[in-house]
Amino acid sequence: MKKSVKIVLAAAIALPVVVAAAIPFFVNANTFRPKIESRLSTALSRKVTLGNLSLSLTKGRLEADDLTIAEDPKFGQTPFFTAKLLHIGVQMKPLIFHHELLIRSFEVDAPQIHLIRAEDGTWNFSTLSHGTDRLDTTRPTSLPDLPVDRIIIKDGNATIETLPSQKNPQVYDHLNVTVEHFSLAQPFPFRVSASLPGDGKVDVSGTVGPINPQDAASTAFDTQVKIQHLDPVTAGYVDPAAGVSTIAGLDAHFVSDGTNVTSNGKVHAEHLIILKGGKAAPLPLDLSYQIVHSLKSNSGQVSDLVFQTGAIAIHIKGNYQLTANVPVLDLKLLAQSVPLNDLQALMPAVGVKLPNNATLKGGTLSADFTIKGSPTDNVIVGSYEIKNTTLVGYDIGSKIAGIAALGGIKTGDTAVIDVSRANVRITKSGSESTKIYSVLPALGVSTGSGTVSPSGQLNFHLISKVTNAKGLNKVGINLLTKMNSTSDAAKPSNASGIPITITGTAEEPVITADVNGLMKGNAATIKKKLSKLFGKKE
């Protein structure tokens, strides 16, 4: 091959490479910056600013050193969205030869996103795509559409705060977003994944749009949400003062028409504590729910919320209202003949405690409660009834101090409970039980009332009618029968039963029978009956 031919071939090969390498020197990428800023600012109705632009011919994109999207002035001056690097995919031929900007994609590296929810329920992103000068809802608003094939956010960080400010905002790290065929005027598919504090992970996928031109937060969507290893306290969803905690997983479906959000799903909860002062449930609990939330009134209806563990199901229905970002509840809890064997896994979570090493076997629980107030300051009022159960592992008879005067009560470490019911009122100041009625064959019938302090201290006062108690020996029964049948004028008002006080805690109760007081109340009569009972002269 002649030398001249080789030179021509080398030039033919090298020339395109040289031209391609030289293009960035002849095309000043920064000349496109005002146009890109203007188009984004118009589409988002927020001032958008870019840093220095450079052209990467091999990657087919423009690259901006910085990106800033301004905040809605009503929410402050801190930028809504910032990023150190923005990649803008463009069609290269129109850009180079005609200086025509045709955007194909946006890719953002490690952005910082600041989301704020106001006390009235509005979000700082609500005014995206319409601007504060176009809030007239009496007429339709058109959008300056900005169709893009793909939008990608990599390794972002989103912080969600509320006004008035709270101590623990919600933080989502390693935020990754993929949007396909983005359009302000048409629905588009998306996928979001992020990490939560405490090793939690969230994954959201579905479709959203078209963007509501009057309130972006009211845009219609249809999404599937999956959360793994959620710690709601660590994640900032639940105030630690509420006493509620768990490690949970969620699989839920959310659909919004822009006015109402309908949600149904299942929660799998482990180490669950529902009420302050409770202990973690030893077994997992599944919760299924159906909720309809009104975006306009910032309130919702719980059509059914079901706690399930083993063979039990406890239903909660009612309403809630979000006021100052705090839910105000008006709920109804209903349990009908729930097997106690399965319920015991849930009892510690709601603060129901038994004496140490004691368990309930067999029987059922029925309950009817209303729950009103906030999660940290509510009032729970209602009643419960336990039937046909057995308390195992606790010798009630041996624990009743003072009963030895009547020969003692023999129950062993198993006590049958025919029925036990009461009316209950629970507040953050403790609980109060009234109209207590219990039938234990070994002890007879007990009635009365009592309280439990926030620290768990018991203060119960009962009258126990033990004249037919199977656990009381014959001498004691005969003595009480004679005393209760007396017609003496000095007969004490409590002669129909033994006063019993219960103090201490549910795990370590202190039970005291006031037999001495009963005797002192009618000493002469008791002396006469004792003499007759034992065949002695007075």
Side-chain angles (χ1 to χ4, degrees):
M1 183 180 293
K2 293 184 178 180
K3 186 176 182 180
S4 58
V5 175
K6 292 181 180 180
I7 293 174
V8 171
L9 288 175
I13 295 172
L15 183 60
V17 177
V18 172
V19 171
I23 286 176
F25 294 99
F26 294 99
V27 178
N28 183 359
N30 279 307
T31 60
F32 297 100
R33 185 169 60 189
K35 180 179 288 187
I36 296 174
E37 289 178 337
S38 176
R39 289 182 64 178
L40 290 176
S41 297
T42 300
L44 299 177
S45 299
R46 300 278 181 90
K47 182 175 177 57
V48 177
T49 58
L50 301 175
N52 181 64
L53 278 181
S54 60
L55 175 63
S56 175
L57 189 63
T58 57
K59 296 180 180 179
R61 65 192 187 191
L62 297 169
E63 295 186 347
D65 290 342
D66 292 287
L67 165 66
T68 300
I69 302 175
E71 180 61 277
D72 183 330
K74 294 187 301 182
F75 291 86
Q77 299 301 316
T78 302
F80 167 73
F81 189 107
T82 60
K84 291 296 184 182
L85 191 60
L86 170 65
H87 310 284
I88 306 171
V90 296
Q91 294 185 25
M92 298 305 296
K93 186 176 180 180
L95 180 76
I96 294 170
F97 294 104
H98 304 290
H99 276 223
E100 183 180 0
L101 184 65
L102 299 177
I103 296 175
R104 296 184 294 105
S105 65
F106 289 105
E107 185 175 314
V108 188
D109 290 344
Q112 301 292 312
I113 308 170
H114 193 201
L115 303 174
I116 306 174
R117 185 178 185 178
E119 186 172 350
D120 62 0
T122 60
W123 288 87
N124 62 336
F125 63 83
S126 295
T127 53
L128 285 171
S129 301
H130 66 63
T132 56
D133 58 336
R134 288 162 38 179
L135 296 179
D136 184 1
T137 59
T138 61
R139 56 179 181 173
T141 304
S142 60
L143 289 172
D145 198 10
L146 181 66
V148 179
D149 288 343
R150 175 175 291 186
I151 297 176
I152 296 176
I153 293 176
K154 291 183 177 180
D155 198 24
N157 176 282
T159 301
I160 301 179
E161 299 186 61
T162 57
L163 296 177
S165 298
Q166 297 180 355
K167 294 182 180 179
N168 298 315
Q170 299 169 20
V171 178
Y172 297 82
D173 288 322
H174 307 296
L175 176 67
N176 295 289
V177 180
T178 301
V179 175
E180 303 285 351
H181 311 301
F182 173 80
S183 171
L184 295 172
Q186 298 293 331
F188 53 86
F190 75 97
R191 180 163 188 168
V192 178
S193 64
S195 296
L196 298 171
D199 298 325
K201 296 184 182 300
V202 58
D203 195 304
V204 183
S205 60
T207 59
V208 62
I211 304 299
N212 187 314
Q214 296 166 345
D215 182 358
S218 297
T219 296
F221 59 81
D222 187 331
T223 63
Q224 194 73 28
V225 178
K226 294 185 178 181
I227 299 178
Q228 298 176 350
H229 204 270
L230 170 65
D231 183 336
V233 175
T234 303
Y237 298 146
V238 176
D239 188 340
V244 178
S245 66
T246 187
I247 300 296
L250 170 69
D251 190 349
H253 185 209
F254 294 83
V255 178
S256 173
D257 59 5
T259 301
N260 296 310
V261 179
T262 301
S263 175
N264 62 81
K266 292 185 177 181
V267 177
H268 179 76
E270 298 183 359
H271 312 296
L272 176 68
I273 299 176
I274 297 176
L275 291 180
K276 190 173 184 179
K279 293 183 178 180
L283 297 177
L285 180 84
D286 291 318
L287 182 152
S288 59
Y289 73 90
Q290 296 178 2
I291 295 176
V292 178
H293 180 81
S294 169
L295 296 172
K296 183 177 181 180
S297 63
N298 209 20
S299 63
Q301 181 179 9
V302 181
S303 56
D304 197 14
L305 187 154
V306 186
F307 290 95
Q308 295 174 306
T309 181
I312 74 166
I314 299 175
H315 295 263
I316 295 178
K317 298 181 179 181
N319 305 287
Y320 65 87
Q321 175 73 54
L322 293 179
T323 303
N325 295 303
V326 175
V328 178
L329 310 173
D330 186 359
L331 304 175
K332 183 85 169 178
L333 181 151
L334 186 63
Q336 293 182 328
S337 300
V338 175
L340 283 170
N341 287 346
D342 296 312
L343 184 62
Q344 286 192 89
L346 181 60
M347 287 169 56
V350 296
V352 177
K353 302 172 184 178
L354 297 175
N356 290 332
N357 302 317
T359 58
L360 292 172
K361 288 191 176 181
T364 61
L365 167 74
S366 295
D368 189 343
F369 287 97
T370 60
I371 305 169
K372 295 186 177 183
S374 71
T376 57
D377 187 8
N378 55 62
V379 178
I380 303 175
V381 178
S383 61
Y384 72 86
E385 183 176 67
I386 294 173
K387 286 185 174 181
N388 304 320
T389 189
T390 302
L391 181 65
V392 179
Y394 186 75
D395 187 351
I396 295 178
S398 67
K399 301 294 184 180
I400 304 178
I403 206 69
L406 298 179
I409 291 183
K410 308 299 182 182
T411 62
D413 66 352
T414 300
V416 175
I417 302 173
D418 286 348
V419 64
S420 179
R421 60 175 177 261
N423 294 339
V424 180
R425 187 176 190 271
I426 304 172
T427 69
K428 64 179 182 180
S429 300
S431 68
E432 178 183 7
S433 299
T434 58
K435 296 185 178 179
I436 297 173
Y437 178 83
S438 296
V439 179
L440 282 70
L443 298 176
V445 178
S446 298
T447 58
S449 61
T451 61
V452 182
S453 73
S455 63
Q457 294 298 309
L458 308 178
N459 185 19
F460 282 79
H461 299 274
L462 306 175
I463 297 296
S464 183
K465 299 179 181 179
V466 298
T467 53
N468 61 346
K470 294 180 180 179
L472 188 63
N473 65 21
K474 185 175 181 180
V475 173
I477 293 176
N478 288 339
L479 176 59
L480 284 177
T481 301
K482 296 293 184 180
M483 289 169 57
N484 293 337
S485 63
T486 181
S487 58
D488 294 351
K491 177 182 177 182
S493 59
N494 59 4
S496 59
I498 300 176
I500 292 179
T501 61
I502 304 175
T503 56
T505 65
E507 299 97 323
E508 291 287 350
V510 178
I511 308 173
T512 304
D514 188 14
V515 177
N516 291 332
L518 182 64
M519 291 180 176
K520 291 177 181 179
N522 194 352
T525 301
I526 293 172
K527 184 177 180 181
K528 182 185 295 185
K529 300 304 178 184
L530 281 172
S531 298
K532 292 182 178 180
L533 180 64
F534 294 104
K536 295 182 180 180
K537 296 182 179 180
E538 297 185 34

